[in-house]
Amino acid sequence: MQITQDDPETKRLSEILRKHGVAINAQKKAQIENKLRSGRTPELLFGFAECLRAEGALSRAAEYYDEASASPELEQRCKYLEAVCLQKKTGAISGGSGLFTPAPFSMRDGFLDISAQRMLQAQFTQLEEKMIPAKVGSRKKGHINQSTRSAWTVSGPAMKPVRKAIVGDIEKALMEALTLFGYESEAGLHITMNFTSYHDRGFYGQHTDAGEGHPRILSYIYYFHEMPKKFSGGELELFDTSFPKEEINGQATLIAPVNNRLVIFPSQFSHQVKPVSMDQSLPWLSARNTLNGWLEFAPERRINVDRSATE
């Protein structure tokens, strides 16, 4: 499904959003909810679903999109959004679809068994002293910019034991996501892998993973942290655009950093990590930690694990 800024559907839906004051925040959600008591029009149902999606209440959002799809004007978009929220196949995505296409994603809770979780946490603890401040930009021209990103990371050869243990699980999930998102499977792909840790006030501003110097197709994030959870924030916010600094009425899908959850989405879509809040005296394992990386194009004509990339 391709929707562009000049598409008639985009213009019509933008007018709907402006008409009903649908901004994604609690105040507007309350206003729409109040209006719904007087009449469940498709436009209001759609607006309320957008608010729910922005809060991460995806199952409820899908129910409202389904009800709003009774409107011929909203049917196509609501069916797409319902599929996104329920992680069903949405159809092919154009890299230039741009401004008004919510990012599809795959989300799996309970991804690793307990032995794999313990192994990963043990490897992470061993690599804490190798962590360096995370950079922004391309691999060759990456630089530290605390106003854009505040996190710690480790990659490259140090990740070899983790790759060896769980790359098969990651690879299988990525191949299934290719089909879910409507991509054709291609030869000559590889998987990168690194640990990233967000501590108190850690964040990553709005950006895309694809672009010049980044031949990335899919991005994946596996969340892990000490239980019970000792931080707040750190949600992944997937914006309805593939432009790094573009927002449409603040519309986005919110995904919580749940322990042992894997999330996969197309790298072309703009996203951010919301600020983390936690006690700075807590150990690293209590932070918002991820095993993350990308499925990328590579010269090799097979799926393989990148042994040297430093994201």
Side-chain angles (χ1 to χ4, degrees):
M1 179 180 180
Q2 180 173 346
I3 305 175
T4 65
Q5 189 175 18
D6 296 326
D7 189 272
E9 182 187 13
T10 297
K11 293 180 179 178
R12 181 169 59 251
L13 291 170
S14 295
E15 286 301 320
I16 288 172
L17 291 172
R18 282 192 290 270
K19 178 181 178 182
H20 292 277
V22 181
I24 306 305
N25 57 54
Q27 182 180 3
K28 291 299 180 182
K29 179 189 171 187
Q31 291 175 359
I32 296 170
E33 193 168 21
N34 186 54
K35 291 180 181 180
L36 281 170
R37 295 189 180 97
S38 301
R40 298 173 73 85
T41 67
E43 291 81 3
L44 287 175
L45 291 166
F46 173 78
F48 194 63
E50 291 284 80
C51 292
L52 291 171
R53 177 165 64 94
E55 290 182 350
L58 303 179
S59 295
R60 287 190 66 205
E63 294 175 2
Y64 280 86
Y65 286 129
D66 181 58
E67 191 173 350
S69 68
S71 166
E73 289 188 342
L74 294 171
E75 181 180 10
Q76 183 184 19
R77 181 155 182 79
C78 284
K79 290 298 183 184
Y80 178 88
L81 285 160
E82 182 183 3
V84 167
C85 290
L86 297 178
Q87 302 161 66
K88 294 182 178 180
K89 192 169 183 178
T90 56
I93 304 164
S94 168
S97 59
L99 284 176
F100 215 70
T101 306
F105 63 92
S106 169
M107 183 169 68
R108 301 188 182 191
D109 289 334
F111 181 66
L112 295 179
D113 62 34
I114 190 65
S115 61
Q117 292 180 62
R118 288 172 177 168
M119 178 281 303
L120 186 144
Q121 292 179 6
Q123 289 295 321
F124 174 81
T125 300
Q126 290 181 25
L127 292 174
E128 284 178 14
E129 54 186 42
K130 292 183 178 291
M131 290 272 189
I132 61 173
K135 297 180 179 180
V136 296
S138 65
R139 290 174 183 162
K140 293 182 179 181
K141 298 181 180 180
H143 60 282
I144 297 171
N145 185 343
Q146 292 286 333
S147 65
T148 300
R149 187 183 192 189
S150 178
W152 297 83
T153 189
V154 63
S155 58
M159 297 297 297
K160 185 175 181 179
V162 180
R163 293 187 182 111
K164 183 177 180 180
I166 65 172
V167 69
D169 295 319
I170 298 292
E171 178 184 323
K172 181 180 178 181
L174 287 168
M175 294 303 101
E176 291 175 355
L178 280 177
T179 300
L180 178 67
F181 302 150
Y183 290 106
E184 293 184 7
S185 182
E186 300 184 39
L189 302 174
H190 73 171
I191 300 167
T192 65
M193 190 173 289
N194 52 266
F195 280 134
T196 305
S197 187
Y198 290 83
H199 295 240
D200 189 51
R201 300 181 187 178
F203 74 103
Y204 195 170
Q206 190 177 353
H207 66 286
T208 63
D209 290 341
E212 185 179 357
H214 295 297
R216 297 164 180 167
I217 306 168
L218 299 180
S219 301
Y220 72 89
I221 306 169
Y222 171 77
Y223 298 103
F224 67 95
H225 50 260
E226 193 174 60
M227 293 295 287
K229 182 180 172 183
K230 296 180 177 65
F231 68 90
S232 60
E235 298 91 349
L236 172 67
E237 200 164 22
L238 291 172
F239 290 98
D240 294 5
T241 175
S242 57
F243 294 92
K245 297 298 182 182
E246 185 74 36
E247 296 183 36
I248 301 181
N249 297 326
Q251 293 176 79
T253 302
L254 195 72
I255 299 176
V258 174
N259 186 56
N260 201 21
R261 166 178 285 178
L262 177 72
V263 176
I264 302 172
F265 59 93
S267 299
Q268 72 199 50
F269 281 91
S270 184
H271 57 283
Q272 71 177 6
V273 177
K274 301 192 78 173
V276 171
S277 178
M278 63 177 287
D279 184 340
Q280 297 185 59
S281 67
L282 290 171
W284 281 62
L285 199 55
S286 297
R288 190 257 198 201
N289 303 312
T290 65
L291 175 73
N292 60 285
W294 303 275
L295 180 67
E296 301 182 340
F297 290 108
E300 298 85 354
R301 308 306 294 174
R302 60 186 175 85
I303 295 293
N304 64 88
V305 186
D306 181 19
R307 304 287 179 182
S308 60
T310 54
E311 290 74 30

